[in-house]
């Protein structure tokens, strides 16, 4: 708690509610739930993501993170306060998650000094990541930190700021990620969850579960590192100032939260070794729960969200965003129409193969200079065929990542599909046919904000972290005929990248020179 004392908090099952809010890349979502996870109300809000230069992706932390949180909280707490609303009750605990790892530097009052640098979609730290890996050694980073250096890591972004914006770093007294900034605005507490910290290579020791102090002092001099907690740990209560801004009652318990993908995994009860979450969204993300720390040079070994839990993660830089690019380019009225056209196209898209690297790639190879491609275009190619080829490309990327997870010793026993891309059955079905893996689709698919509500419930002491909140609604099964076609195309997908990788880099360099 803020004054260091543990407060008594009476749980009132018939009245107490939980508020979970997740800040995404292009939109934010919130839910109001009962103590057992039943969703009573939901809210969402779209926001702007800035791309000031090629390879740079940023958010204004106040105009995006805090304003979205405030708007969603006000909408949902107003419903909680309305005695005639089905969502009426007392908001007893709140938790927020967000895109991560992000890097936001703030002054001594907690005011942001510059826009927040986003996760691996921001590739500005390519040079710094390579130099940090040379300094500390790939083997040391992998074994001590869980991951090698890449543009995903928060430590490389801090090194970029040290070199390119030293005046900003000199004034900085706080290092925030999305969820920790919201915790600070709500409670005044300066904390970071251990999972998010484990994505700060080379600054965090996975085995000691602690900051590596000499590296922090060298890369972020003068910036104290936040106190480390678990995502479901209660870290403070809502202040009067924050209450006035958000509508959340003064004194409401606040849990630490974490990165969005891990909160999303918690929302569908992915918590046991062998569980794998596949998140279908603007990017595709994977979280596998492992039986102890697992390491692979192409993947991200991280702390989990529960004490003692380990995860191995992977993330593609673009997937749904590539389909959205295609929709906007051809002026299709909505994604639903385009997906319907793709569904009418047979597996293999009549011999059209795509590479999904429209924003470089994160895993299973870290290559910010990778670029997308389409091979097999003819004068008869339709927009539905292109859309299906893009969906199939993301599925081939999923298989590539899962092949690497298995090489790291991960035994995948259960797959759960989540995210906006599961709204239509086509995309998960293609992934199932490409990988051969059944996928469970949960009844509630709102995502990370529901996981946040569960963290809040654990912080409140209302449920155990192992409680099942989200039943399985349906399961995708492989189609043998489609699987046979994809088994033949997968080598072509892999060969296309290998054959064009050098050319992709040449074209990327040309883009940097010519794009204003």
């Amino acid at each position: 708690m803020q004054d260091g004392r543990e407060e008594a908090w009476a749980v009132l099952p018939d009245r107490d509610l939980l508020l979970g809010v997740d800040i995404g890349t292009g939109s934010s979502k919130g839910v109001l739930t009962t103590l057992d996870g039943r969703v009573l109300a939901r809210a969402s809000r779209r926001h702007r993501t800035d791309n000031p230069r090629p390879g740079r992706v940023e958010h204004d932390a106040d105009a995006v993170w805090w304003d979205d949180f405030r708007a969603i909280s006000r909408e949902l707490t107003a419903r909680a306060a309305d005695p005639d609303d089905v969502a009426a009750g007392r908001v007893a605990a709140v938790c927020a998650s967000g895109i991560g790892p992000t890097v936001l530097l703030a002054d001594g009052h907690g005011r942001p000094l510059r826009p927040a640098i986003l996760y691996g979609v921001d590739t500005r730290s390519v040079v710094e990541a390579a130099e940090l890996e040379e300094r500390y050694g790939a083997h040391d980073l992998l074994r001590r930190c869980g991951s090698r250096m890449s543009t995903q890591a928060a430590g490389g972004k801090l090194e970029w700021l040290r070199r390119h914006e030293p005046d900003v770093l000199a004034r900085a007294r706080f290092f925030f990620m999305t969820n920790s900034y919201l915790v600070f605005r709500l409670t005044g507490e300066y904390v970071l969850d251990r999972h998010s910290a484990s994505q700060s290579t080379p600054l965090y020791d996975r085995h000691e579960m602690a900051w590596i102090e000499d590296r922090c002092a060298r890369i972020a001099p003068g910036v104290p590192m936040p106190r480390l907690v678990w995502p479901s740990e209660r870290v403070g209560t809502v202040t009067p100032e924050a209450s006035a801004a958000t509508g959340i009652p003064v004194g409401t318990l606040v849990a630490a939260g974490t990165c969005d993908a891990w909160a999303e995994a918690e929302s569908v009860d992915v918590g046991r070794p062998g569980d794998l979450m596949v998140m279908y969204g603007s990017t595709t993300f994977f979280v596998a729960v492992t039986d102890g720390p697992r390491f692979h040079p192409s993947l991200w070994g991280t702390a989990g969200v529960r004490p003692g839990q380990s995860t191995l993660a992977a993330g593609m830089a673009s997937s749904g965003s590539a389909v959205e690019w295609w929709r906007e380019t051809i002026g299709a009225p909505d994604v639903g129409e385009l997906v319907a056209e793709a569904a009418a196209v047979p597996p293999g898209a009549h011999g059209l193969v795509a590479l999904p690297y429209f924003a470089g790639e994160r895993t299973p190879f870290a290559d910010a200079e990778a670029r997308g491609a389409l091979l097999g275009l003819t004068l008869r190619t339709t927009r539905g065929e292109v859309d299906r080829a893009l969906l199939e490309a993301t599925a081939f990327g999923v298989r590539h990542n899962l092949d690497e997870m298995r090489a790291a010793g991960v035994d995948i026993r259960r797959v759960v599909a989540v995210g906006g891309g599961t709204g239509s059955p086509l995309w998960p079905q293609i992934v199932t046919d490409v990988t051969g893996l059944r996928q469970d689709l949960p009844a509630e698919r709102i995502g990370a904000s529901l996981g946040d509500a569960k963290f809040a419930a654990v912080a409140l002491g209302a449920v155990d972290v192992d409680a099942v909140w989200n039943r399985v609604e349906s399961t995708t099964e492989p189609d043998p005929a489609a699987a046979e076609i994809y088994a033949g195309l997968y080598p072509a997908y892999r060969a296309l990248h290998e054959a064009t990788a050098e050319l992709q880099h040449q074209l990327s360099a040309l883009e940097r020179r010519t794009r204003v």
Side-chain angles (χ1 to χ4, degrees):
M1 310 303 295
Q2 288 166 292
D3 60 0
R5 293 180 289 109
E6 189 74 11
E7 295 181 7
W9 191 271
V11 176
L12 307 174
D14 295 333
R15 292 176 45 210
D16 278 352
L17 304 176
L18 308 165
L19 174 63
V21 180
D22 176 66
I23 309 297
T25 304
S27 65
S28 302
K29 298 177 182 178
V31 292
L32 202 62
T33 79
T34 60
L35 294 181
D36 60 358
R38 182 164 54 93
V39 176
L40 300 177
R42 61 193 76 206
S44 63
R45 180 181 170 99
R46 295 198 63 81
H47 55 240
R48 172 177 174 171
T49 298
D50 295 321
N51 303 91
R53 292 176 58 181
R56 300 188 184 183
V57 189
E58 301 179 340
H59 274 166
D60 181 316
D62 283 336
V64 175
W65 300 352
W66 183 236
D67 279 2
D68 276 16
F69 183 89
R70 288 195 307 162
I72 289 171
S73 297
R74 281 198 165 279
E75 179 177 343
L76 293 177
T77 55
R79 294 193 60 177
D82 183 350
D84 297 324
D85 198 303
V86 67
R90 178 184 73 164
V91 177
V94 60
C95 181
S97 62
I99 46 175
T102 52
V103 171
L104 174 67
L105 294 181
D107 66 16
H109 300 285
R111 295 182 295 238
L113 293 167
R114 68 173 322 283
I117 301 173
L118 299 199
Y119 53 102
V121 294
D122 185 292
T123 58
R124 74 183 70 196
S125 59
V126 170
V127 172
E128 288 73 22
E131 292 181 359
L132 287 172
E133 178 151 310
E134 182 177 359
R135 178 189 302 169
Y136 296 116
H139 179 78
D140 174 89
L141 293 171
L142 189 61
R143 294 300 170 185
R144 189 175 186 188
C145 302
S147 307
R148 294 178 58 179
M149 288 302 308
S150 71
T151 57
Q152 175 81 354
K157 300 177 191 301
L158 285 167
E159 176 72 1
W160 186 92
L161 288 165
R162 187 182 71 81
R163 294 183 180 187
H164 297 277
E165 298 183 8
D167 55 327
V168 170
L169 190 62
R171 295 159 54 203
R173 295 298 177 269
F174 291 96
F175 156 50
F176 292 117
M177 293 196 189
T178 313
N179 61 304
S180 64
Y181 183 63
L182 296 176
V183 166
F184 180 80
R185 293 298 302 263
L186 288 170
T187 70
E189 297 291 328
Y190 182 39
V191 300
L192 183 64
D193 68 286
R194 287 181 171 86
H195 163 73
S196 297
S198 72
Q199 294 210 49
S200 299
T201 305
L203 305 179
Y204 183 81
D205 190 311
R206 274 279 288 109
H207 303 283
E208 298 294 330
M209 303 294 281
W211 297 112
I212 304 173
E213 293 184 3
D214 60 323
R215 295 181 183 180
C216 294
R218 179 170 182 172
I219 293 173
V223 183
M225 291 293 108
R227 177 171 64 88
L228 296 170
V229 295
W230 290 105
S232 58
E233 196 169 327
R234 58 175 73 180
V235 293
T237 59
V238 174
T239 65
E241 181 182 13
S243 176
T246 64
I248 304 170
V250 174
T252 300
L253 293 180
V254 178
T258 190
C259 292
D260 55 354
W262 278 259
E264 187 134 18
E266 195 65 45
S267 80
V268 291
D269 306 311
V270 168
R272 292 160 291 280
D275 287 353
L276 171 73
M277 180 203 73
V278 180
M279 183 173 72
Y280 296 78
S282 298
T283 68
T284 300
F285 207 88
F286 317 82
V287 175
V289 182
T290 59
D291 54 352
R294 297 283 178 176
F295 306 105
H296 189 287
S298 299
L299 306 174
W300 305 316
T302 70
V305 296
R306 307 176 184 183
Q309 185 187 70
S310 294
T311 60
L312 192 64
M316 298 168 62
S318 60
S319 48
S321 57
V323 176
E324 179 63 18
W325 160 82
W326 177 240
R327 186 196 68 79
E328 291 180 351
T329 299
I330 62 176
D334 60 59
V335 172
E337 178 179 330
L338 199 57
V339 169
E341 293 179 8
V345 175
H350 295 304
L352 191 62
V353 177
L355 295 180
Y357 314 132
F358 284 61
E361 190 52 294
R362 294 190 284 169
T363 66
F365 55 87
D367 186 356
E369 308 304 314
R371 290 295 178 264
L374 282 166
L375 182 65
L377 289 165
T378 74
L379 294 177
R380 299 177 64 185
T381 299
T382 66
R383 68 184 192 180
E385 290 168 358
V386 173
D387 188 50
R388 185 171 189 109
L390 291 172
L391 291 173
E392 291 174 348
T394 66
F396 291 138
V398 170
R399 177 174 170 180
H400 194 180
N401 277 283
L402 298 190
D403 286 348
E404 299 301 302
M405 283 192 168
R406 291 190 182 95
V410 177
D411 179 17
I412 300 170
R413 303 170 203 156
R414 171 176 171 259
V415 182
V416 184
V418 298
T422 64
S424 163
L426 179 61
W427 195 2
Q429 185 63 54
I430 291 173
V431 171
T432 285
D433 293 337
V434 167
T435 63
L437 293 172
R438 302 171 59 201
Q439 296 181 84
D440 291 339
L441 279 79
E444 179 55 68
R445 304 179 194 176
I446 195 168
S449 56
L450 181 59
D452 297 327
K454 186 176 181 182
F455 289 139
V458 175
L460 191 63
V463 300
D464 184 80
V465 71
D466 292 319
V468 175
W469 267 31
N470 207 342
R471 65 179 177 83
V472 174
E473 184 176 64
S474 62
T475 301
T476 61
E477 300 283 352
D479 179 297
E484 183 178 0
I485 293 171
Y486 291 135
L489 278 178
Y490 180 61
Y493 165 85
R494 295 287 300 272
L496 178 58
H497 171 65
E498 293 168 5
T500 61
E502 184 176 345
L503 181 58
Q504 292 173 41
H505 292 174
Q506 293 176 15
L507 297 176
S508 174
L510 177 62
E511 179 196 21
R512 288 197 306 273
R513 292 197 304 270
T514 58
R515 190 182 294 277
V516 177

